[in-house]
Amino acid sequence: MDEPFGALDRALRERLQVELRRLHHELGITVVFVTHDQEEALTLSDRIAVFNEGRIEQVGTPEELYERPATLFVARFIGESNALHGTVADGSFVSHSGVRLPAGIADGPAVAIVRPERVRARAAGDPAGEASAAGSAGFAGTESVTADLDGRIDDVTYLGAQRRVEVATDDGPVILRSGTDIAMPGIGQPVRLSWAAVDTAIFPTRDEATGTSNPWTATLAPPTSSSRS
Protein backbone atom coordinates (compact mmCIF):
# COMPACT_ATOMS: atom_id res chain seq x y z
CA MET A 1 0.00 0.00 0.00
CA ASP A 2 1.57 3.28 -1.14
CA GLU A 3 0.47 6.19 1.10
CA PRO A 4 -3.27 5.32 0.87
CA PHE A 5 -4.31 7.92 3.46
CA GLY A 6 -2.23 10.83 2.15
CA ALA A 7 -5.18 12.87 0.83
CA LEU A 8 -7.47 12.40 3.84
CA ASP A 9 -8.13 14.83 6.68
CA ARG A 10 -6.55 14.02 10.04
CA ALA A 11 -9.66 12.69 11.82
CA LEU A 12 -10.63 10.31 9.00
CA ARG A 13 -7.02 9.24 8.52
CA GLU A 14 -6.69 8.29 12.21
CA ARG A 15 -9.98 6.29 12.14
CA LEU A 16 -8.86 4.38 9.05
CA GLN A 17 -5.47 3.67 10.60
CA VAL A 18 -7.20 1.95 13.53
CA GLU A 19 -9.48 0.02 11.15
CA LEU A 20 -6.59 -1.09 8.94
CA ARG A 21 -4.62 -2.29 11.95
CA ARG A 22 -7.66 -4.25 13.19
CA LEU A 23 -8.13 -5.92 9.79
CA HIS A 24 -4.44 -6.73 9.63
CA HIS A 25 -4.60 -8.57 12.94
CA GLU A 26 -7.91 -10.34 12.16
CA LEU A 27 -6.87 -11.57 8.71
CA GLY A 28 -3.30 -12.41 9.69
CA ILE A 29 -1.83 -11.22 6.40
CA THR A 30 1.40 -9.37 5.70
CA VAL A 31 0.95 -5.76 4.62
CA VAL A 32 3.78 -3.64 3.20
CA PHE A 33 2.84 -0.03 3.90
CA VAL A 34 4.83 2.86 2.40
CA THR A 35 4.54 6.24 4.12
CA HIS A 36 6.50 9.43 4.75
CA ASP A 37 4.40 10.10 7.87
CA GLN A 38 6.47 8.93 10.84
CA GLU A 39 3.50 9.00 13.23
CA GLU A 40 1.50 6.85 10.82
CA ALA A 41 4.37 4.38 10.61
CA LEU A 42 4.57 4.13 14.40
CA THR A 43 0.79 3.64 14.66
CA LEU A 44 0.38 0.94 12.01
CA SER A 45 3.56 -1.08 12.04
CA ASP A 46 4.77 -4.21 13.78
CA ARG A 47 8.19 -3.68 12.18
CA ILE A 48 9.61 -0.64 10.44
CA ALA A 49 12.51 -0.38 8.00
CA VAL A 50 14.09 3.07 7.78
CA PHE A 51 15.90 3.75 4.50
CA ASN A 52 18.44 6.49 3.86
CA GLU A 53 19.70 6.96 0.29
CA GLY A 54 19.02 3.30 -0.53
CA ARG A 55 20.65 1.96 2.64
CA ILE A 56 18.73 0.38 5.51
CA GLU A 57 19.60 2.32 8.67
CA GLN A 58 17.56 0.19 11.09
CA VAL A 59 14.80 -2.43 11.18
CA GLY A 60 12.79 -2.92 14.36
CA THR A 61 9.57 -2.40 16.24
CA PRO A 62 8.19 1.13 16.56
CA GLU A 63 9.31 1.23 20.19
CA GLU A 64 12.83 0.11 19.32
CA LEU A 65 13.24 2.75 16.63
CA TYR A 66 11.84 5.54 18.77
CA GLU A 67 13.41 4.66 22.11
CA ARG A 68 16.67 3.01 20.95
CA PRO A 69 17.66 4.42 17.55
CA ALA A 70 20.74 2.77 16.08
CA THR A 71 21.94 5.79 14.11
CA LEU A 72 21.71 9.56 14.16
CA PHE A 73 19.55 9.48 11.03
CA VAL A 74 16.95 7.26 12.71
CA ALA A 75 16.99 9.35 15.89
CA ARG A 76 16.28 12.52 13.89
CA PHE A 77 13.94 10.99 11.32
CA ILE A 78 11.58 9.13 13.67
CA GLY A 79 9.73 11.62 15.85
CA GLU A 80 10.77 15.04 17.10
CA SER A 81 14.09 15.41 18.91
CA ASN A 82 16.51 17.94 20.34
CA ALA A 83 20.18 17.97 19.34
CA LEU A 84 23.11 19.25 21.39
CA HIS A 85 26.49 19.51 19.65
CA GLY A 86 29.66 18.75 21.57
CA THR A 87 32.63 16.45 21.98
CA VAL A 88 33.22 13.05 23.55
CA ALA A 89 36.42 12.58 25.54
CA ASP A 90 37.33 9.92 28.13
CA GLY A 91 33.82 8.47 28.22
CA SER A 92 31.97 11.78 28.67
CA PHE A 93 30.03 13.96 26.25
CA VAL A 94 30.34 17.70 26.86
CA SER A 95 28.14 20.11 24.94
CA HIS A 96 29.23 23.57 23.83
CA SER A 97 27.51 25.07 26.89
CA GLY A 98 29.06 22.55 29.30
CA VAL A 99 26.27 19.95 29.67
CA ARG A 100 28.05 16.73 30.62
CA LEU A 101 26.70 13.21 30.04
CA PRO A 102 28.20 9.71 30.08
CA ALA A 103 28.95 8.42 26.57
CA GLY A 104 29.81 4.98 25.30
CA ILE A 105 31.28 5.99 21.94
CA ALA A 106 34.77 6.84 20.72
CA ASP A 107 36.29 10.25 21.38
CA GLY A 108 35.53 13.00 18.89
CA PRO A 109 32.79 15.41 17.77
CA ALA A 110 29.34 14.14 18.68
CA VAL A 111 25.65 14.99 18.90
CA ALA A 112 23.42 14.23 21.90
CA ILE A 113 19.75 13.56 21.13
CA VAL A 114 16.88 13.82 23.63
CA ARG A 115 13.13 13.62 22.98
CA PRO A 116 10.96 16.65 23.88
CA GLU A 117 8.72 14.61 26.20
CA ARG A 118 11.77 13.63 28.29
CA VAL A 119 12.75 17.23 29.01
CA ARG A 120 11.35 18.93 32.11
CA ALA A 121 11.43 22.62 32.97
CA ARG A 122 11.25 24.58 36.19
CA ALA A 123 11.59 28.26 37.00
CA ALA A 124 15.22 29.32 37.34
CA GLY A 125 16.26 29.13 40.97
CA ASP A 126 13.45 26.73 41.91
CA PRO A 127 15.11 23.65 43.49
CA ALA A 128 11.84 21.71 43.73
CA GLY A 129 11.04 21.48 40.03
CA GLU A 130 9.50 18.50 38.32
CA ALA A 131 11.77 15.44 38.11
CA SER A 132 12.81 13.83 34.86
CA ALA A 133 10.32 11.45 33.27
CA ALA A 134 10.01 8.20 35.19
CA GLY A 135 9.59 4.80 33.67
CA SER A 136 11.14 5.64 30.31
CA ALA A 137 12.72 2.89 28.27
CA GLY A 138 15.82 5.03 28.01
CA PHE A 139 18.39 5.40 25.24
CA ALA A 140 21.96 4.45 26.01
CA GLY A 141 23.38 3.63 29.44
CA THR A 142 21.90 3.13 32.90
CA GLU A 143 23.72 5.83 34.86
CA SER A 144 21.52 7.79 37.29
CA VAL A 145 22.77 11.13 35.97
CA THR A 146 20.67 14.18 35.20
CA ALA A 147 21.59 16.84 32.67
CA ASP A 148 20.79 20.49 33.48
CA LEU A 149 20.65 23.35 31.00
CA ASP A 150 19.61 26.96 31.60
CA GLY A 151 17.59 28.92 29.09
CA ARG A 152 14.74 31.31 28.48
CA ILE A 153 11.27 30.47 27.15
CA ASP A 154 11.05 31.69 23.57
CA ASP A 155 7.66 30.39 22.44
CA VAL A 156 4.67 28.41 23.72
CA THR A 157 2.17 26.69 21.40
CA TYR A 158 -1.10 25.31 22.76
CA LEU A 159 -1.87 21.85 21.29
CA GLY A 160 -4.93 20.86 23.32
CA ALA A 161 -3.74 18.17 25.73
CA GLN A 162 -0.17 19.48 25.53
CA ARG A 163 1.89 22.59 25.10
CA ARG A 164 4.92 22.73 22.85
CA VAL A 165 7.50 24.95 24.54
CA GLU A 166 10.61 26.25 22.80
CA VAL A 167 13.48 27.33 25.03
CA ALA A 168 16.47 29.36 23.82
CA THR A 169 19.72 28.04 25.32
CA ASP A 170 23.45 28.35 24.73
CA ASP A 171 23.21 24.97 22.95
CA GLY A 172 20.56 26.25 20.56
CA PRO A 173 16.77 25.88 20.78
CA VAL A 174 15.40 23.05 22.92
CA ILE A 175 11.81 21.83 22.54
CA LEU A 176 9.80 20.26 25.33
CA ARG A 177 6.23 19.06 25.57
CA SER A 178 4.31 19.74 28.76
CA GLY A 179 0.82 18.84 29.93
CA THR A 180 -1.52 21.82 30.18
CA ASP A 181 -2.13 20.96 33.84
CA ILE A 182 1.55 21.57 34.69
CA ALA A 183 2.52 25.11 35.69
CA MET A 184 4.97 26.68 33.28
CA PRO A 185 6.76 30.08 33.40
CA GLY A 186 5.72 32.52 30.69
CA ILE A 187 7.47 33.63 27.51
CA GLY A 188 10.70 35.48 28.26
CA GLN A 189 11.12 33.88 31.70
CA PRO A 190 14.34 32.05 32.64
CA VAL A 191 14.05 28.30 33.23
CA ARG A 192 16.25 25.35 34.03
CA LEU A 193 15.79 22.29 31.84
CA SER A 194 16.62 18.79 33.03
CA TRP A 195 16.49 15.24 31.71
CA ALA A 196 17.95 11.86 32.60
CA ALA A 197 21.13 10.57 31.00
CA VAL A 198 19.34 7.30 30.17
CA ASP A 199 16.98 9.32 27.97
CA THR A 200 19.86 10.62 25.85
CA ALA A 201 21.31 9.03 22.70
CA ILE A 202 24.82 10.14 21.71
CA PHE A 203 26.15 9.67 18.19
CA PRO A 204 29.41 10.60 16.45
CA THR A 205 29.12 13.29 13.81
CA ARG A 206 31.25 11.04 11.58
CA ASP A 207 29.35 8.29 9.74
CA GLU A 208 31.36 5.11 10.33
CA ALA A 209 29.54 3.26 7.54
CA THR A 210 30.77 5.66 4.86
CA GLY A 211 33.86 7.12 6.55
CA THR A 212 32.57 10.65 5.99
CA SER A 213 30.94 13.38 8.02
CA ASN A 214 27.41 12.26 8.81
CA PRO A 215 25.22 14.09 6.27
CA TRP A 216 22.31 14.12 8.69
CA THR A 217 24.15 16.59 10.94
CA ALA A 218 23.59 19.20 8.25
CA THR A 219 19.90 19.27 9.25
CA LEU A 220 20.66 19.99 12.88
CA ALA A 221 20.35 23.48 14.28
CA PRO A 222 23.80 25.10 14.62
CA PRO A 223 25.11 25.49 18.17
CA THR A 224 24.59 29.19 18.73
CA SER A 225 24.21 31.22 21.88
CA SER A 226 20.57 32.13 21.41
CA SER A 227 19.47 32.76 24.99
CA ARG A 228 18.55 36.31 25.74
CA SER A 229 19.65 38.26 28.79
Side-chain angles (χ1 to χ4, degrees):
M1 304 180 74
D2 189 358
E3 304 206 45
F5 305 146
L8 304 179
D9 64 76
R10 183 184 179 94
L12 179 58
R13 184 168 67 247
E14 290 179 348
R15 289 201 300 271
L16 288 177
Q17 287 172 357
V18 173
E19 181 65 15
L20 179 60
R21 186 167 179 82
R22 183 185 65 79
L23 288 171
H24 172 227
H25 288 160
E26 287 183 359
L27 298 176
I29 60 176
T30 298
V31 177
V32 178
F33 193 95
V34 180
T35 179
H36 287 82
D37 185 328
Q38 293 93 338
E39 185 175 326
E40 187 171 69
L42 293 173
T43 300
L44 291 174
S45 302
D46 295 314
R47 297 177 73 219
I48 300 172
V50 179
F51 286 78
N52 178 23
E53 297 184 351
R55 186 181 72 189
I56 296 178
E57 294 273 340
Q58 186 174 357
V59 178
T61 66
E63 182 178 359
E64 287 170 348
L65 267 64
Y66 188 83
E67 300 289 354
R68 294 178 294 280
T71 68
L72 178 60
F73 180 88
V74 175
R76 295 291 285 173
F77 187 73
I78 299 294
E80 190 175 27
S81 58
N82 296 298
L84 280 68
H85 291 258
T87 303
V88 171
D90 300 325
S92 292
F93 168 85
V94 181
S95 75
H96 291 287
S97 74
V99 173
R100 184 178 295 271
L101 291 161
I105 63 173
D107 291 358
V111 180
I113 300 292
V114 61
R115 301 293 188 189
E117 65 271 19
R118 304 300 188 200
V119 181
R120 297 294 180 262
R122 63 181 185 271
D126 178 8
E130 186 181 11
S132 294
S136 66
F139 277 139
T142 58
E143 298 83 356
S144 56
V145 176
T146 299
D148 293 304
L149 177 61
D150 292 328
R152 194 175 299 273
I153 294 181
D154 209 28
D155 186 59
V156 178
T157 303
Y158 178 75
L159 301 175
Q162 288 185 324
R163 287 171 297 198
R164 181 182 184 275
V165 182
E166 182 171 332
V167 180
T169 78
D170 286 342
D171 278 315
V174 173
I175 305 300
L176 65 97
R177 290 181 178 267
S178 171
T180 55
D181 58 334
I182 297 174
M184 181 69 61
I187 293 176
Q189 296 299 307
V191 291
R192 169 156 289 190
L193 307 178
S194 61
W195 64 92
V198 294
D199 291 328
T200 309
I202 300 174
F203 300 98
T205 59
R206 183 175 177 82
D207 189 339
E208 297 300 331
T210 62
T212 62
S213 294
N214 195 318
W216 198 244
T217 60
T219 67
L220 305 179
T224 58
S225 298
S226 57
S227 59
R228 298 190 299 264
S229 58

